[in-house]
Amino acid sequence: MALINRLDSRDPGFKSALSKLLAFEATEDESIDRAAAGILADVRARGDAALVEYTQRFDRMPGVSAEALEIPKADWHAALAALPAAQRNALEAAADRVRGYHERQRVETWTYTEPDGTMLGQQVTPLDRVGLYVPGGKAAYPSSVLMNAIPAKVAGVQDLIMVTPTPDGVRNPIVLAAAAIGGVDRVFAIGGAQAVGALAYGTATVPAVDKIVGPGNAYVAAAKRRVFGVVGIDMIAGPSEILVICDGKTPADWIAMDLFSQAEHDELAQSILLCPDAAFIEEVQAAIERLLPTMPRADILRVSLANRGALIQVRSLEEACQIANDIAPEHLEISTEQPEKWTAQIRHAGAIFMGRFSSEALGDYCAGPNHVLPTSRTARFSSPLGVYDFQKRSSLIQVSHQGAQQLGRIAAELALGEGLQAHAASAQYRIDKP
Amino acid sequence: MALINRLDSRDPGFKSALSKLLAFEATEDESIDRAAAGILADVRARGDAALVEYTQRFDRMPGVSAEALEIPKADWHAALAALPAAQRNALEAAADRVRGYHERQRVETWTYTEPDGTMLGQQVTPLDRVGLYVPGGKAAYPSSVLMNAIPAKVAGVQDLIMVTPTPDGVRNPIVLAAAAIGGVDRVFAIGGAQAVGALAYGTATVPAVDKIVGPGNAYVAAAKRRVFGVVGIDMIAGPSEILVICDGKTPADWIAMDLFSQAEHDELAQSILLCPDAAFIEEVQAAIERLLPTMPRADILRVSLANRGALIQVRSLEEACQIANDIAPEHLEISTEQPEKWTAQIRHAGAIFMGRFSSEALGDYCAGPNHVLPTSRTARFSSPLGVYDFQKRSSLIQVSHQGAQQLGRIAAELALGEGLQAHAASAQYRIDKP
C-alpha cells in the first residue's frame, strides 16, 4: 500500500478518483440506534433510577447514588489549582483569546420605526440552559470544553451543565480544570445515551436543558439525533479533514506536519494537499517518509494517509480554489503569498488558515476562532460553532393604529385568497369604520 | 363537549391541566418513515427514471417526461400577469415589506487585526443553491412562497429551486405568481419524498441543492429528516399556536377573532388567552359563541378550540408573562397598554405582536417579519426563518510571523497535554529557532 495517494488534476480519471477518496458515509448502525432509543425511553420514564442503573453498569461505578453523580465545584477548582503552571497559563491564555474573538459574534436586539409609528425588529435572547457533552477516555480534550463553553457563556446562557463519563470513577483533572476556566455552572459524571436523555428530559438530579452540544461516540450521536426537537442540538461531526493549498514555497516539513496534525486524530481523518509544483510535491512526500517514523502516533498516521490522504498536483492555484469549493473542507490552509487573494475565491470552508504561519494547530487551540467546525462537506450550508448558536430571536411587531389601516387591507386581500376568513376578519377589525 | 377549555392559575391542579393541554407529540409513523426511505434510496440510485415514475403514480400524471417536470418561467409570469390587480398589488406590497425587513438581517464579513499583525474574523457567504418545497392542495399558500424565497434571495442565494406537486397536472396560479414575485429561479412540478430526494441527491433534470426549506406533509418531513447532513434543512414544523395576553381592555370580538385566526388552520392548532379580568374572559367566551357559527371554517374551529384551546384566568400580567415563557409560544400577542413593558419580560417566543392593533394576521402576511416560526416550544432554542438561515460563515485566521511565536507556544503546550504531538510540532515549526 502506498504511503499516501497521488493524484493529478490533468488525468482524465481525476474527478472520479477524487470523489472516491472523499466518499465517506457514516454507517448508521440500526442496533446502536435501537439501543439509544431504549435508553432514552427508560431515562424519560424512570428518571434518576434509570440514570443511576446505566451509569453503574456502563461506567462500572457500583453503588453510586444519584446525588454522587454531581461533581462539586470545589473539586474542579482543586483540579485547576493542582495543574502545572505552564498548562494552567496556556489554558487561561487560550480561554482569553477565544472569549475575545467570540465577543465580536454577539448579536443585539434591533428595532426600527416606520413613519406611521409601526415598530419592527428582533429581540435577541440567550438560551436559558445548555448541556455540554464531553467524552471520556482518549477523546477527552480540555480545548473542546473551552470551545463549547465559552460561546455559550458569551451569549449569556445562565446555566451551563457539563456531563462527562468517569469510567471506574476516574476523573480527568484537565477537563475539570477547563470547566472551571470556561465558566461551566455544574458538572455531572454521566455519559452515553443516558446522559443525553437526562439532559433532554430532566431527572430529579439533572435539570432539563434547552440545547445539547459537544461531541460523543455513536450512541451519543444517535441519542442526540433522537432528542432533536425536544431540545436543540449542534452538528453531528464526521471525521476531521484538512485541505492545504500551497504554492510550493512553504518549507516541505511544515506542510508534511500540518497534514500529520489532522491525520493523527484517527484513522478516518483526511489530509489533502493541492499544489501546482510537482517538485514540491516530491519534497513533501519525502518529508512524510522521513518524519512519519518519528511520530508517536505513526500507526494511526499510516492508516489515515494511505486510505484517505492525498498529494494532488493541480494546474494552478485558481484550479486549487475551485477544487476546494467542491470539497468544502472543514479546515483549509492557504499556504501562499497574498493568501487574501485566494481567500476571496473560497465560498465553502469551515475555517480558512491564511499564510505560511497560520498552521491549523494554532486555530485548534488558541488563535480565537472556534475549533468546532462543519465536516463532511456541510460547510456548504453550515458555520463554525459560535455565540449565534446560543442566542435566539423573537420577531417584534408593534403596528400603529395608522399602520393597521394599510396593512389590514393587504393582509385581508391575501388571507381571502388563501381561504382563511378568520385571518381576514382579524385584520379588518383593526380598520377604522367609515 | 365544552366550546373551549377554561382554566384558572389559582386552581391547585392548574399546572398539570396546562401541561395536559399543551402536550403534543408528533406521532412518528414507522411505515411513513420506511416508505420515505425507500423512495429516497430509489431516487438516489435511479435519478430521473425513479422521479418520473413516482410523479406519474402519486400525482396521477401518466406519460409525463422528465423534461416536462420543469414549469417554464414564462408560465409563472403569465400566471402573474393574469392575477386580479388587487391580489397582485397585495402580493407585491407584502413582498416589498418582507424584503425591507429581511435586508436588515444580512450579516457581513468582519475582521480585526491585532497589534502583532495577526488578522482574525469571519467571511460570510450565501449558500450556492437552495430548494424550496411548496405543498400542493389546500396548504398551498402563496404567502409561504414569499416568506421562504425572499430571505434566501436577500442572502444572495444564486439558484433558488422551487418544487411543488401538481396532482392531475393542475397548477396553482397564485403560487406560481408568488414564485415570480419572490425571485425564484426554477420551478419543478414534483412533490413528496421523491422531490426531497431529487433536491438532495440531484438527478439529470433537477440540480442538487445545499439546503431544503419549506413545509410539507408527513412523507416530506420524514424525507427531510433523513437527508439532513447531506443537505441542510429548516425546522420540522408542528401545529401552529397563538398565545394572547390581554389586559381586558381590547374589544372582546377582536380577541375572539385572533384566537379563531390560529384555530382555523387545522384541528391541531392551539389558541390560548391569558387574562387577569374574569369579566373580560366571559365577554370573549360570549363573542366566540356568537361569532363561531358565522365562520366558513366553523367545523375546524369547533374541534380545535374544544380540544386544544383555552381561556385562562391569571393573577396578573406578570404571571401571564411567566406562563408565556413556560409555553414558549410560536405567536404571542400582548394586547395591553405599554406592551414594551411586558415584552421585556418575554424570553421565549417566535414572534411578539405588541399592542391592540398588532393582530397576528398582519404578521402572517405583510408586516415584514417572517411567518415561518418555531413551534412546539422550540422557541426556547430556535428563531424565525431568516436571512441568517441562508448565509454561512468561514473563520478567518491569518497569523503573523510575530504572532506565531506566542500562539505556537500556547498551542504546543496544550497539544502535548492532549497527546497530539503532530499538532505540537506543527505549531513549533513556526517558532523562530534561537
Side-chain angles (χ1 to χ4, degrees), chain B residues 182-203:
Chain B
V184 168
D185 295 289
R186 296 177 74 183
V187 178
F188 293 91
I190 54 176
Q194 62 273 19
V196 173
L199 291 170
Y201 304 117
T203 72

Side-chain angles (χ1 to χ4, degrees), chain A residues 25 44 86-87 90-91 93-94 97 100-101 104-105 110 112 114 119-123 125 127-128 141-143 174 209-210 225 228-232 253-254 257-258 260-261 264-265 291 295-297 333 339-340 343 346-354 356-367 369 373 378-384 388 392-401 404 406-408 410-411 413-415 417-423 425-427 429-430, chain B residues 25 44 86-87 90-91 93-94 97 100-101 104-105 110 112 114 119-123 125 127-128 141-143 174 209-210 225 228-232 253-254 257-258 260-261 264-265 291 295-297 333 339-340 343 346-354 356-367 369 373 378-384 388 392-401 404 407-408 410-411 413-415 417-423 425-427 429-430:
Chain A
E25 195 131 11
R44 185 177 193 176
Q87 198 165 31
L91 270 179
R97 292 190 57 88
Y101 177 87
R104 294 169 188 258
Q105 290 180 337
W110 54 272
Y112 62 99
E114 301 186 321
M119 184 275 284
L120 301 170
Q122 282 194 316
Q123 176 158 291
T125 46
L127 275 65
D128 280 353
Y141 295 145
S143 57
I174 318 186
V209 302
D210 300 303
R225 266 187 193 276
F228 174 58
V230 179
V231 295
D253 282 13
W254 295 18
M257 197 56 73
D258 294 353
F260 286 0
S261 76
E264 76 174 340
H265 275 296
L291 294 168
M295 302 305 299
R297 291 182 171 234
E333 259 185 43
E340 59 284 358
T343 297
I346 299 301
R347 299 196 313 282
H348 312 302
I352 306 175
F353 297 80
M354 302 164 65
R356 308 192 199 285
F357 283 95
S358 304
S359 72
E360 189 213 305
L362 304 182
D364 284 347
Y365 289 107
C366 59
L373 297 168
T378 59
R380 292 175 297 125
F381 55 82
S382 50
S383 300
Y388 34 80
K392 62 213 166 51
R393 300 161 162 98
S394 304
S395 305
L396 296 177
I397 302 160
Q398 185 166 12
V399 178
S400 67
H401 183 153
Q406 180 216 0
L407 295 182
I410 299 171
E413 174 71 34
L414 294 173
E418 294 183 353
L420 296 174
Q421 294 86 358
H423 283 68
S426 165
Y429 275 164
R430 271 82 173 181
Chain B
E25 195 130 10
R44 185 177 193 176
Q87 198 166 31
L91 270 179
R97 291 189 58 87
Y101 177 86
R104 295 168 187 258
Q105 289 180 339
W110 54 272
Y112 62 98
E114 301 187 321
M119 184 274 285
L120 300 170
Q122 283 194 315
Q123 177 159 291
T125 46
L127 275 65
D128 280 352
Y141 294 144
S143 57
I174 318 186
V209 301
D210 300 303
R225 267 186 193 277
F228 174 58
V230 179
V231 295
D253 282 13
W254 295 18
M257 196 56 73
D258 294 352
F260 286 0
S261 75
E264 75 174 340
H265 275 296
L291 294 168
M295 302 306 298
R297 292 181 170 234
E333 259 184 44
E340 59 283 358
T343 297
I346 299 301
R347 298 196 313 282
H348 313 301
I352 306 175
F353 296 81
M354 301 163 65
R356 307 191 200 286
F357 284 94
S358 304
S359 73
E360 188 214 305
L362 304 182
D364 284 347
Y365 289 107
C366 59
L373 297 168
T378 60
R380 291 175 297 125
F381 55 83
S382 50
S383 299
Y388 34 81
K392 62 211 166 50
R393 300 162 162 99
S394 303
S395 305
L396 296 177
I397 302 159
Q398 185 166 13
V399 178
S400 68
H401 183 153
L407 294 182
I410 299 171
E413 173 72 33
L414 294 173
E418 295 183 354
L420 297 173
Q421 293 86 357
H423 283 68
S426 165
Y429 276 165
R430 271 80 175 182

